[in-house]
Amino acid sequence: MVNTKISLCGIEIDNPVIPASGTFGFGYEFAELYDINCLGTFSFKGTTKDARFGNPTPRIAECSSGMLNAVGLQNPGVEKVISDELPKLAKVFNKKVMANVSGFAVEDYVYTCEKLDKEEQVGWLEVNISCPNVHGGGMSFGTSPESAYEVTKAVKAVTTKPVIIKLSPNVTDIASIAAACENAGADGISMINTLMGMRINLKTRKPIIANKTGGYSGPAILPVALRMVYQVYEAVKIPIVGMGGISTAEDVIEMMMAGATAVEVGAANLIEPYACKNIIDELPAVMERYGIKDLNEIIGGAH
Amino acid sequence: MKQTIFTIKHNVALTANVYEMALVGDTEGIASGQFVNIKIDGLYLRRPISVCDYSEDTLTLVYKVVGKGTEEMAKMVSGQKLDVLTGLGNGYDTAKSGSQPLLIGGGVGVPPMYALAKQLIEEGKKVNVILGFNSSDEIFYKNQFEALGAYVTVTTVDGSFGVKGFVTDALKNTGGYSYIYTCGPEVMLKAVYNAGETSGQYSFEERMGCGFGACMGCTCKTKYGNKRICKDGPVLEKEEIIW
Ligand SMILES: Cc1cc2nc3c(=O)[nH]c(=O)nc-3n(C[C@H](O)[C@H](O)[C@H](O)COP(=O)(O)OP(=O)(O)OC[C@H]3O[C@@H](n4cnc5c(N)ncnc54)[C@H](O)[C@@H]3O)c2cc1C
Ligand SMILES: Cc1cc2nc3c(=O)[nH]c(=O)nc-3n(C[C@H](O)[C@H](O)[C@H](O)COP(=O)(O)O)c2cc1C
Ligand code: FES
């Protein structure tokens, strides 16, 4: 018997496999297919202070070994998430869930986190700092150590739940941003969000995505994610939730060797709805193949 | 939703670039107006194709070659296996049809009308169908609809067959209708929306990430709130549509 249990910021989970925010909704679509309680946990759809329609369509474009998305954080707003989605979720998922939070001003993050802090079902707050800062000239909070520090500090002040800051890869020095989050009191780092990209329709000679740009995710970005997790592992002591292109049990192990304590699986869920269940089912056999008795022994093993 | 591995029974050309593919496998839960999402080797996103017909063990799709995915599909041969998600979308509601429904399909909007026509005729309704194409060499499924017992009018834009013009130019040929079901390019849907005199159900397309409601890739605004075309659609009621 191998051990797949890991502890993520003080909460033990059965395995390190976590569906990534935005690719698993609030779980119901997948609960129709399999018992989602097999998951370590999952990160629900990015939630904001107010309801958002998101961007116009087309929001999706295909790429080699991946996809672009520009959904634009469509969600019903934190109040509705708490009153409608969480009770429905409780019927199909009896573990702690990871609450993914977005905002366009520091006060937005604080407002949303404060509300979600009171919810028992919520185990962790995953704070996505890749959105543009409306008060800071539209640059994303995640692109400077100063604004990343500011959001982390403000959120930490209103919650006792572990705060995991989700970083954007669209930066020059991700390690310094991770370190700023750690200094501000973050309990963990999750990374990476999507890589900014574009596709152009040759017939119309215009970008395929209505928003023009979209975030690239899927297997193509795995090497970028591995490199960044590896760099951040050297810069911080807090746990890292690694993601970007993971679609097999081997990818999980590789990401953990780079320095991740747990992993998230995103786009793979959209293409193969059983992806996370399959990865969890295959993990023990793959661990045995590589002589791994306990996943804890491989975290950061590549360093 | 269900994931099924189907085996290709046949994959034949109906016109220069439209193919009919019959798949053998588990068809439980499939309904008219729904679509399936097909995994194609070498491509990342699945490709959504409407249910054209289904029986206890066979699913029929009709598709037009427009890009990489459908090009790959056209090369597939009998016996090949295909990974398909079925039971996607809401489908048509036949309870609202009245006794004389009118079905309007344009181009590759024709296929979903077939399973619907079959169902409505089985329910004892008098079914009129308008099939719209650009020219006579693009026509497919006319005989199949007639074999079901539907009254078929074909329109062609260039006038090379049937009524010259668009599907809306044939509305007066139908001798009255109680309700409209339609699928086709958005400009056609809009024309039908404006010319049609009754309520109806309109089937929409959108670029999709998942096809089963998880990613919010396909959301549109309706008078009844935001809807995911893949899960709350692809069929919308006339009254809720916002153009
Ligand atoms: C609900 C639904 C039902 C459909 N039913 C049929 C059908 O019965 N017969 C048929 O021929 N076609 C149908 N289509 C359109 C069909 O999905 C596209 O023609 C097909 O995906 C094109 O793929 P490709 O790789 O050949 O083209 P490419 O242009 O190479 O595709 C690139 C990407 O764009 C997407 N895409 C391209 N065109 C469309 C489109 N019109 N709608 C949605 N996504 C698109 C593809 O899925 C893919 O992700 C349907 C679409 C939807 C949304
Ligand atoms: C359709 C879609 C929607 C997403 N929405 C969110 C979101 O709301 N919040 C967030 O933090 N990340 C969001 N992401 C990013 C993913 O959580 C993940 O970081 C990224 O896709 C990389 O992982 P992957 O390659 O496994 O998909 C989204 C990704 C996709 C594909
Ligand atoms: S395509 Fe994913 S929600 Fe519709």
Side-chain angles (χ1 to χ4, degrees):
Chain A
M1 271 294 282
V2 294
N3 177 48
T4 59
K5 285 195 167 65
I6 55 106
S7 166
L8 181 58
C9 308
I11 303 173
E12 186 174 87
I13 54 179
D14 293 330
N15 62 67
V17 180
I18 306 172
S21 179
T23 63
F24 213 70
F26 287 87
Y28 335 124
E29 282 78 22
F30 295 86
E32 281 176 26
L33 294 177
Y34 66 90
D35 181 0
I36 62 172
N37 288 297
C38 71
L39 302 167
T41 176
F42 79 90
S43 178
F44 64 56
K45 177 64 198 170
T47 295
T48 50
K49 176 168 171 279
D50 302 311
R52 285 176 56 81
F53 173 73
N55 291 319
T57 56
R59 296 176 173 180
I60 304 285
E62 177 162 271
C63 311
S64 308
S65 294
M67 61 183 283
L68 294 184
N69 93 83
V71 170
L73 295 168
Q74 181 188 341
N75 80 95
V78 65
E79 264 92 18
K80 276 251 154 54
V81 165
I82 290 171
S83 64
D84 299 359
E85 308 291 353
L86 291 185
K88 270 203 269 172
L89 173 60
K91 296 202 179 97
V92 293
F93 192 59
N94 56 34
K95 296 180 171 179
K96 298 268 188 215
V97 69
M98 190 179 281
N100 185 280
V101 174
S102 283
F104 300 88
V106 174
E107 307 84 75
D108 293 359
Y109 284 102
V110 167
Y111 182 92
T112 308
C113 288
E114 217 171 358
K115 295 266 177 210
L116 288 164
D117 176 67
K118 301 194 177 61
E119 294 306 310
E120 213 192 322
Q121 275 166 281
V122 174
W124 308 258
L125 294 171
E126 182 181 53
V127 179
N128 171 14
I129 57 169
S130 319
C131 338
N133 175 0
V134 290
H135 294 167
M139 284 288 281
S140 128
F141 286 96
T143 54
S144 89
E146 292 75 24
S147 57
Y149 181 95
E150 194 191 349
V151 176
T152 309
K153 194 94 188 160
V155 166
K156 275 298 286 180
V158 296
T159 180
T160 54
K161 296 195 196 284
V163 171
I164 297 173
I165 305 291
K166 183 164 177 179
L167 303 185
S168 164
N170 305 308
V171 297
T172 44
D173 181 10
I174 198 161
S176 66
I177 293 166
C181 297
E182 183 178 44
N183 289 336
D187 301 282
I189 296 292
S190 71
M191 56 189 287
I192 56 177
N193 211 314
T194 53
L195 289 153
M196 184 115 78
M198 182 183 276
R199 290 303 307 274
I200 293 165
N201 180 331
L202 302 189
K203 286 181 203 142
T204 63
R205 306 182 181 193
K206 293 280 180 304
I208 292 174
I209 294 206
N211 185 53
K212 298 191 174 73
T213 60
Y216 193 10
S217 66
I221 74 166
L222 178 69
V224 179
L226 286 166
R227 182 266 294 176
M228 289 190 154
V229 167
Y230 188 94
Q231 286 176 322
V232 167
Y233 184 80
E234 307 225 316
V236 301
K237 297 205 166 53
I238 50 179
I240 301 168
V241 182
M243 78 194 86
I246 293 177
S247 32
T248 65
E250 283 84 354
D251 296 342
V252 173
I253 290 173
E254 194 173 354
M255 187 59 83
M256 293 184 77
M257 288 177 172
T261 295
V263 304
E264 290 184 28
V265 177
N269 294 300
L270 308 180
I271 307 315
E272 173 48 71
Y274 290 94
C276 285
K277 181 182 174 347
N278 291 345
I279 292 172
I280 292 165
D281 289 348
E282 284 158 17
L283 196 52
V286 175
M287 286 171 67
E288 269 170 34
R289 192 177 317 141
Y290 294 98
I292 301 162
K293 292 205 175 58
D294 182 342
L295 280 182
N296 288 283
E297 77 194 40
I298 62 164
I299 299 169
H303 291 261
Chain B
M1 173 179 45
K2 219 177 211 180
Q3 183 170 30
T4 302
I5 306 298
F6 283 91
T7 306
I8 299 177
K9 187 157 84 182
H10 71 241
N11 187 28
V12 295
L14 299 177
T15 71
N17 55 12
V18 173
Y19 290 73
E20 178 189 83
M21 182 185 274
L23 298 164
V24 176
D26 180 3
T27 59
E28 200 206 323
I30 294 179
S32 74
Q34 286 190 331
F35 67 97
V36 302
N37 218 358
I38 304 174
K39 179 84 192 103
I40 295 168
D41 281 350
L43 297 176
Y44 196 63
L45 297 174
R46 289 174 180 264
R47 297 305 195 257
I49 302 289
S50 307
V51 171
C52 172
D53 191 17
Y54 59 100
S55 66
E56 239 158 61
D57 67 347
T58 307
L59 166 67
T60 306
L61 309 173
V62 171
Y63 61 92
K64 182 176 178 179
V65 174
V66 298
K68 271 193 205 162
T70 45
E71 249 163 50
E72 283 307 312
M73 282 177 69
K75 289 186 211 147
M76 293 176 181
V77 295
S78 314
Q80 221 173 312
K81 308 269 189 231
L82 217 49
D83 169 351
V84 184
L85 301 177
T86 63
L88 305 177
N90 55 356
Y92 294 113
D93 178 0
T94 59
K96 297 187 173 166
S97 72
S99 58
Q100 286 193 59
L102 171 61
L103 279 53
I104 306 174
V108 283
V110 167
M113 292 299 136
Y114 183 76
L116 176 65
K118 201 171 175 181
Q119 189 179 343
L120 289 164
I121 288 167
E122 273 166 20
E123 291 173 9
K125 288 150 186 170
K126 180 176 177 243
V127 174
N128 260 295
V129 184
I130 302 174
L131 307 177
F133 300 97
N134 287 314
S135 71
S136 61
D137 54 357
E138 292 182 8
I139 298 171
F140 62 87
Y141 262 53
K142 176 178 177 289
N143 300 339
Q144 282 88 332
F145 277 96
E146 282 167 349
L148 289 177
Y151 301 89
V152 181
T153 308
V154 172
T155 66
T156 53
V157 177
D158 66 3
S160 51
F161 190 92
V163 176
K164 180 174 170 34
F166 300 102
V167 290
T168 41
D169 294 316
L171 280 176
K172 58 180 183 309
N173 298 30
T174 59
Y177 50 91
S178 51
Y179 198 75
I180 289 176
Y181 294 94
T182 183
C183 181
E186 201 164 306
V187 283
M188 185 201 97
L189 297 183
K190 202 165 176 177
V192 172
Y193 178 95
N194 290 325
E197 288 166 12
T198 65
S199 176
Q201 290 169 34
Y202 292 63
S203 187
F204 284 82
E205 282 186 357
E206 192 46 80
R207 288 194 180 234
M208 294 184 176
C210 64
F212 55 88
C215 74
M216 305 291 150
C218 64
T219 311
C220 71
K221 287 184 179 153
T222 78
K223 290 181 189 153
Y224 303 162
N226 297 338
K227 291 205 166 178
R228 295 161 295 180
I229 290 296
C230 73
K231 178 94 179 177
D232 314 309
V235 179
L236 300 182
E237 307 234 335
K238 184 175 186 184
E239 290 69 29
E240 66 180 309
I241 297 168
I242 300 173
W243 294 105

